[in-house]
Amino acid sequence: MSAIVVGGGVNGLVAATYLARAGRKVVLLEAKDALGGACATTTFATGFKGPTIAHALTALDPRVVAELKLARRGLKFAVRDMPTVALRADGKHLVIGRDVRATARGIAAHSRADAEAWPRFRRELFDLARAMRPFWWDEPKRGWNLPPTIATLRRQNLAAWLDSRFESDAVKAAVACDASGLSPLVPGSPLLLVWRGCQEMCGLQSAAAIPLGGPGALVDALTAAAKVASVELRTGAHVADILVKDGAATGVVLESGEEIVAKRVLASLSHSQLLATKAGRSALGIGESTALERSVPAVASAKVLLALNAAPNFGGSPSRGRFLLADKIETFVTAHAASRAGCMPEELALEVVVPTAADPALAPMGQHVVSIRIAPLPRHLAGGWDAAKAPLAAKAIAALERCAPGLARHVTAAQVLTPDDIAKRYGEEDEVTVERVMSDWPSRILTPIKGLFLCGAASEPVGAVSGRAGRIAAAHALREAAK
Amino acid sequence: MRYDAAIIGAGAEGLAAAALLAGAGARTIVVERSERAGGRATTREFHPGFRASPFADELPPIPADIYWALDLARRGAIFRPAPVSPAARRFLRDVERRAADIRARAVAGIDSAPDHSFFSRPAVPAPWPGEDWMALSLADVLAREPPDIAAHLAAAALSGSVADPYLAGSALHLLTLPRSGFVTGGLASLANALVGAAHEAGADISLGHDVTDIRHAKGRVSGIGLADGSEIEARAVISTLDLKRTFLSFFQWNALPKEIVHAVGTFRMAGAAARVLFALDTMLPDAARDRIHVSSDLEQLAAANTVWRTGMIAPRLPVTLRIVSAADAGLAPLGQSVVTATLGAVPFRLFDGAWTREKREVLRMQALAALETAMPGAGAHVIAAEVIAPPDIEEALGATDGDLMGGALAADQMLSAGPWPDVPFPRCPLKGLYLAGSWLAMSGTCVAGAAAARTVAADIASGTLK
Ligand SMILES: Cc1cc2nc3c(=O)[nH]c(=O)nc-3n(C[C@H](O)[C@H](O)[C@H](O)COP(=O)(O)OP(=O)(O)OC[C@H]3O[C@@H](n4cnc5c(N)ncnc54)[C@H](O)[C@@H]3O)c2cc1C
């Protein structure tokens, strides 16, 4: 075997396929019985299918789609570009779409000055995004330098940055939703927004799309591509540790005791997961164990899927939108502070999509699926997440009910994944920090162990369904092999 | 008569600037609204026989070269170092080194230094000492200290201020830690010494005159206008008020370039301090000479910050107590004492309206409770208390939002990353106007004034100022 890929999520599949296409003999080991990781479609109630975790693709690398010919392998999109709809309790919902003028007209209902500022803001953001593209999409060419405007942005916080551009809470909160991984008071937090603007889902800057059949359809296409490239796919193969000899990876050992030997190991593990392995710990020295504890994020997200026996009504807004619920920027500030303190935020910030609006086949006729991401939330809740599971769902539904009256009555089933559930299923994530966002690919992909590469979402500036980390990690592994 | 420099405000910065400029041969005048010079460096009787400095007990250090250049020792500004707990000493040495580095660069004109930027490219604001702290939280920086020391240092760094100690960037507050120590006779002695220095150097000091506007035409400043209608012509104007106050109260907005209005409008203030002065009819244990931070661990500071942001008064504000009469017996009658309480996380704007009597009473009660916690039984000996709420600080000193630091301490607001990166402090886009507000208050007293004086002198010498 010339390479082992640990983990069959999007990134693992992408990495394995690129390696195999380059002529390597590759085995992909996935602990679970199904491939896809956090990108999956699940049947959560009889007849209802929904996105388990990721529900709107915003960061999928167009090169992965093209190079692995995913369209030919069955990837189709139900929606390519959902408008963002900021739901307001007063019913003055704000629709932010690709059409700058139409968006500005909508903003005018909240503030004339903001409507005027909107086109300028879009231009500024996309200019910054374009400037950062070489850095976030790939390893920048020699001589490429960070633009000075970005260095300045590292010192600014999102709240202040938006305050100096907009006056209405509606616009500020809607924009801030896309950077909710960091508290809006952290210096450098606007960079998350720039990162988001840098993504070109379906060739459209900053778009959000849903594959036909849900996120699982992307995984099916990727699996097909992997098979065509003759990747050996093994599910139910939990890797217990990475074998290391003289500072270099020599293979892996499965929980069953089986050892698989290979010169190169690409693992879609987060740094905290890697540090939890014996190999990781010995490579970095025991002293790092304290750092390990601190690197576990304080802030996480939860996922709720609802089955509805009627269409949700968001006050006349297009139901194909990506709905955001957050009153003002302060909602994120306090939610981050509360999360860090291990308390349930008083006000939740929600990102909601209705996959059945564009893809009715996901639910029985006339019925619907509502997918809710709640973030930020405490990774560790005082009193534990188990007891808070039902109250969390109730709180989210109540928040939604305020903007979509009557919704609660139609809920027939629900699935709630708390931050605990998600960490248990997919492993502990790495914290989003400004340093991580601004570090280069090699520093995130390479490890102190020779031949061991990290190819998962933890190697991306911000974790997302993108495949970029897998693609770049594979290139690194191939380059090292060529040496 | 046309002056070389007119200075607005006779606080420590204004007086230092005046003394230095006049000493260098410039015709200089300081104009002060109040009848007394000193600004926050004042000491007054708040109850018969009991005196205290209302806004602060101590000031950040005065750089040694300024202290000696102005001959402040001979003029009676004698500092006695504040006691520091031995456990915190090592850490504080590092902080003091950073702060001193900032001071040195500020006085030398921080931004004339060659531009070695973070990413080694020109046109990026130069890094300054403490740059690495902008991305760290207080909790990060203090992580290796024992928990009690960490809590003490965090509380000290946030005393009379506010921030979430777990939030990246809050480490910057540590730069406020270095203190000069007490001035014997209270801070007014320092003001007197500075007045003496300014006078002797030949500067005019005009008290009781309210500056109403800064005269300017074609982007160039020509002097200041006073409330009585008179005008003082000057080649340079140094404002020692904060950025917002300077532009808000001395200019008509529509007469200013849009960029200036925008930069000033979005500059953030973070007033959060209140003070309570207590007169006690008993002697308090002398052992407690250091500041006592009551009930403020990191969690509590974080919670107080959250409440502050909503415009409410937290149920337990962080309180710092100091028995000022223990360090300077002259402040209280024999056998009696003066205690000051510095409260942090006090919002300037309350969500439910004005700072009424009842609201001030809340501050008094909280300070009293803290006093009782720290020194059981002391509460019964309180014979008088004066509450100074954030609006009082604004009123008395002209500090916008009662912010004594001249703006929220944040990476994007400080030093070379100020509102106009291409025209760094103390200059601003208006030719002839220099800002010596307390934007540098955290790193040292008289530093901003000295930096402005040096810049004006240089601009006169180079002929930039006609
Ligand atoms: C609540 C939530 C909502 C999200 N929403 C979105 C969204 O809307 N849009 C978006 O773009 N992104 C979203 N994301 C992020 C996105 O889901 C992830 O970043 C992405 O799916 C990660 O892909 P991956 O392949 O790198 O890792 P994963 O999908 O986590 O795959 C890792 C795989 O490795 C396997 N594995 C782990 N350890 C071992 C082992 N020892 N041996 C064998 N196999 C192992 C796991 O079983 C898993 O299948 C969301 C994340 C969360 C938590």
Side-chain angles (χ1 to χ4, degrees):
Chain A
M1 213 36 80
S2 82
I4 298 169
V5 174
V6 182
V10 168
N11 277 312
L13 284 165
V14 168
T17 310
Y18 274 99
L19 286 170
R21 277 162 49 112
R24 309 292 136 153
K25 206 160 169 296
V26 186
V27 61
L28 179 144
L29 306 169
E30 165 58 50
K32 301 211 177 62
D33 293 331
L35 296 166
C39 182
T41 311
T42 175
T43 303
F44 68 100
T46 323
F48 290 88
K49 286 195 217 151
T52 323
I53 301 287
H55 59 191
L57 306 191
T58 53
L60 186 58
D61 191 335
R63 294 169 305 182
V64 170
V65 177
E67 288 163 6
L68 302 188
K69 305 193 177 65
L70 296 184
R72 208 191 295 167
R73 319 233 182 271
L75 176 65
K76 281 199 200 70
F77 287 97
V79 249
R80 289 172 171 272
D81 184 14
M82 289 186 275
T84 298
V85 184
L87 297 176
R88 310 293 302 171
D90 61 5
K92 284 205 275 180
H93 306 324
L94 184 62
V95 183
I96 299 180
R98 192 150 300 280
D99 185 337
V100 180
R101 277 163 203 286
T103 304
R105 272 197 300 279
I107 292 176
H110 293 269
S111 151
R112 270 188 181 281
D114 287 359
E116 236 174 75
W118 181 254
R120 238 180 301 134
F121 174 75
R122 288 277 291 194
R123 228 175 301 125
E124 180 187 8
L125 184 64
F126 285 159
D127 281 350
L128 285 165
R130 250 191 306 279
M132 286 304 281
R133 210 178 141 187
F135 183 73
W136 279 331
W137 277 45
D138 226 323
E139 288 164 60
K141 298 222 162 54
R142 248 165 192 280
W144 185 86
N145 277 314
L146 269 184
T149 36
I150 294 290
T152 312
L153 221 51
R154 260 188 102 138
R155 295 177 160 159
Q156 281 175 324
N157 71 55
L158 186 68
W161 200 57
L162 292 178
D163 277 344
S164 73
R165 280 155 181 80
F166 298 113
E167 59 178 28
S168 69
D169 285 336
V171 177
K172 284 190 266 188
V175 173
C177 270
D178 281 339
S180 65
L182 282 171
S183 163
L185 296 184
V186 169
S189 41
L191 290 165
L192 288 190
L193 212 56
V194 179
W195 177 83
R196 181 75 164 73
C198 189
Q199 307 309 315
E200 291 180 15
M201 191 60 224
C202 296
L204 300 168
Q205 237 172 350
S206 196
I210 303 185
L212 196 62
L218 168 65
V219 174
D220 294 342
L222 282 170
T223 308
K227 282 186 180 147
V228 170
S230 2
V231 175
E232 185 189 339
L233 299 168
R234 282 181 60 178
T235 50
H238 191 287
V239 172
D241 203 359
I242 293 154
L243 298 170
V244 180
K245 208 174 154 208
D246 300 331
T250 57
V252 299
V253 55
L254 300 186
E255 218 147 58
S256 63
E258 183 188 346
E259 290 192 7
I260 305 175
V261 175
K263 269 227 164 100
R264 263 155 270 290
V265 177
L266 287 81
S268 48
L269 301 175
S270 65
H271 292 78
S272 28
Q273 279 176 292
L274 176 64
L275 280 171
T277 65
K278 243 194 266 157
R281 253 176 294 147
S282 66
L284 290 160
I286 296 299
E288 293 286 325
S289 58
T290 32
L292 164 70
E293 225 169 79
R294 285 172 46 73
S295 76
V296 172
V299 176
S301 39
K303 194 65 207 310
V304 177
L305 286 174
L306 302 177
L308 260 59
N309 61 13
N313 176 11
F314 295 110
S317 298
S319 53
R320 285 185 180 199
R322 186 173 67 104
F323 302 97
L324 305 178
L325 261 94
D327 238 20
K328 33 182 159 9
I329 274 213
E330 206 58 32
T331 308
F332 296 103
V333 174
T334 43
H336 270 279
S339 298
R340 206 223 41 82
C343 306
M344 181 73 85
E346 244 166 71
E347 251 181 82
L348 301 179
L350 314 180
E351 181 192 67
V352 183
V353 299
V354 186
T356 41
D359 191 355
L362 295 173
M365 246 307 239
Q367 310 204 34
H368 283 272
V369 172
V370 170
S371 169
I372 309 171
R373 176 182 189 173
I374 314 173
L377 282 178
R379 168 63 192 87
H380 298 285
L381 182 67
W385 268 114
D386 282 344
K389 206 165 179 155
L392 176 70
K395 205 169 153 104
I397 294 173
L400 212 49
E401 171 82 21
R402 252 174 282 143
C403 303
L407 177 136
R409 256 187 302 128
H410 297 296
V411 176
T412 55
Q415 168 179 301
V416 185
L417 294 180
T418 65
D420 256 357
D421 299 331
I422 295 175
K424 256 180 227 138
R425 278 200 196 189
Y426 305 100
E428 209 68 69
E429 272 191 280
D430 280 341
E431 196 170 7
V432 179
T433 61
V434 177
E435 288 76 72
R436 172 176 163 192
V437 175
M438 295 307 288
S439 61
D440 55 6
W441 287 95
S443 70
R444 295 187 300 252
I445 285 176
L446 305 180
T447 66
I449 303 167
K450 205 168 157 285
L452 174 65
F453 306 86
L454 293 184
C455 69
S459 305
E460 316 232 0
V462 178
V465 175
S466 95
R468 213 167 271 145
R471 185 177 179 272
I472 298 176
H476 266 282
L478 289 169
R479 225 177 299 149
E480 201 184 276
K483 267 191 220 156
Chain B
M1 151 152 148
R2 183 159 183 245
Y3 283 95
D4 291 319
I7 299 167
I8 307 174
E13 306 304 322
L15 292 168
L20 291 168
L21 266 175
R27 278 160 301 168
T28 309
I29 182 168
V30 192
V31 184
E32 164 64 47
R33 177 179 67 175
S34 143
E35 296 290 346
R36 217 181 307 147
R40 77 190 61 179
T42 52
T43 308
R44 65 173 157 77
E45 198 171 56
F46 65 98
H47 186 70
F50 294 83
R51 295 190 310 132
S53 302
F55 308 108
D57 303 319
E58 311 160 68
L59 293 177
I62 300 181
D65 54 336
I66 300 177
Y67 184 77
W68 295 114
L70 299 180
D71 210 0
L72 296 180
R74 182 174 62 84
R75 301 181 204 281
I78 310 289
F79 285 91
R80 258 184 304 148
V84 174
S85 64
R89 206 164 282 156
R90 182 192 53 74
F91 186 83
L92 284 175
R93 259 202 299 275
D94 177 41
V95 177
E96 172 53 34
R97 245 196 315 275
R98 282 166 188 265
D101 210 353
I102 292 181
R103 280 197 296 275
R105 286 229 239 160
V107 180
I110 185 166
D111 297 292
S112 49
D115 196 345
H116 304 299
S117 77
F118 219 47
F119 306 106
S120 61
R121 282 216 50 189
V124 182
W128 36 274
E131 178 101 69
D132 50 332
W133 279 0
M134 87 185 187
L136 295 177
S137 69
L138 270 168
D140 290 337
V141 175
L142 296 172
R144 281 208 220 109
E145 306 297 322
D148 53 327
I149 299 292
H152 175 86
L153 287 168
L158 294 179
S159 175
S161 152
V162 71
D164 180 343
Y166 293 101
L167 199 73
S170 57
L172 290 174
H173 282 262
L174 287 167
L175 293 171
T176 65
L177 279 181
R179 305 269 115 185
S180 294
F182 301 106
V183 195
T184 312
L187 292 175
S189 318
L190 173 64
N192 293 339
L194 285 166
V195 167
H199 264 309
E200 211 166 282
D204 293 337
I205 300 179
S206 161
L207 299 174
H209 282 289
D210 213 349
V211 177
T212 53
D213 62 314
I214 295 175
R215 302 277 156 94
H216 67 114
K218 298 201 193 104
R220 185 179 275 282
V221 161
S222 62
I224 52 178
L226 303 184
D228 60 14
S230 63
E231 184 180 338
I232 297 173
E233 273 186 89
R235 282 155 42 143
V237 172
I238 299 176
S239 169
T240 65
L241 299 178
D242 63 66
L243 183 78
K244 269 197 143 71
R245 175 78 32 177
T246 299
F247 285 96
L248 273 168
S249 53
F250 299 139
F251 293 96
Q252 260 164 340
W253 282 73
N254 50 16
L256 284 173
K258 237 183 163 171
E259 305 75 63
I260 295 188
V261 174
H262 188 248
V264 172
T266 54
F267 193 80
R268 313 189 296 284
M269 308 303 288
R275 299 253 299 172
V276 180
L277 315 176
F278 288 115
L280 283 86
D281 64 3
T282 182
M283 195 78 160
L284 289 170
D286 201 42
R289 273 164 144 230
D290 196 0
R291 300 199 276 182
I292 307 163
H293 305 292
V294 184
S295 66
S296 31
D297 59 21
L298 267 65
E299 300 289 341
Q300 240 169 337
L301 291 167
N305 174 68
T306 305
V307 179
W308 172 79
R309 294 187 63 84
T310 63
M312 290 192 273
I313 304 174
R316 277 172 80 197
L317 296 166
V319 180
T320 303
L321 296 171
R322 169 148 262 171
I323 310 172
V324 286
S325 55
D328 190 348
L331 295 175
L334 204 63
Q336 311 198 35
S337 18
V338 174
V339 175
T340 63
T342 306
L343 291 78
V346 184
F348 174 80
R349 258 174 285 277
L350 293 170
F351 84 104
D352 56 352
W355 270 97
T356 55
R357 276 254 300 283
E358 295 72 37
K359 298 278 167 51
R360 285 162 200 271
E361 187 59 16
V362 171
L363 297 184
R364 196 180 69 87
M365 294 312 290
Q366 288 213 25
L368 202 58
L371 179 67
E372 196 53 37
T373 311
M375 295 165 240
H381 292 280
V382 171
I383 52 173
E386 179 179 326
V387 177
I388 301 156
D392 306 333
I393 298 177
E394 184 182 67
E395 167 77 25
L397 299 177
T400 307
D401 290 6
D403 187 338
L404 290 167
M405 227 94 75
L409 280 189
D412 61 329
Q413 300 217 114
M414 293 165 66
L415 306 175
S416 49
W420 302 294
D422 2 324
V423 197
F425 280 123
R427 295 190 179 90
C428 78
L430 270 189
K431 278 215 182 65
L433 177 61
Y434 299 80
L435 301 170
S438 27
W439 54 278
L440 262 176
M442 48 131 211
S443 82
T445 301
C446 299
V447 171
R454 199 153 297 189
T455 315
V456 169
D459 284 356
I460 290 177
S462 71
T464 334
L465 283 175
K466 302 235 173 55

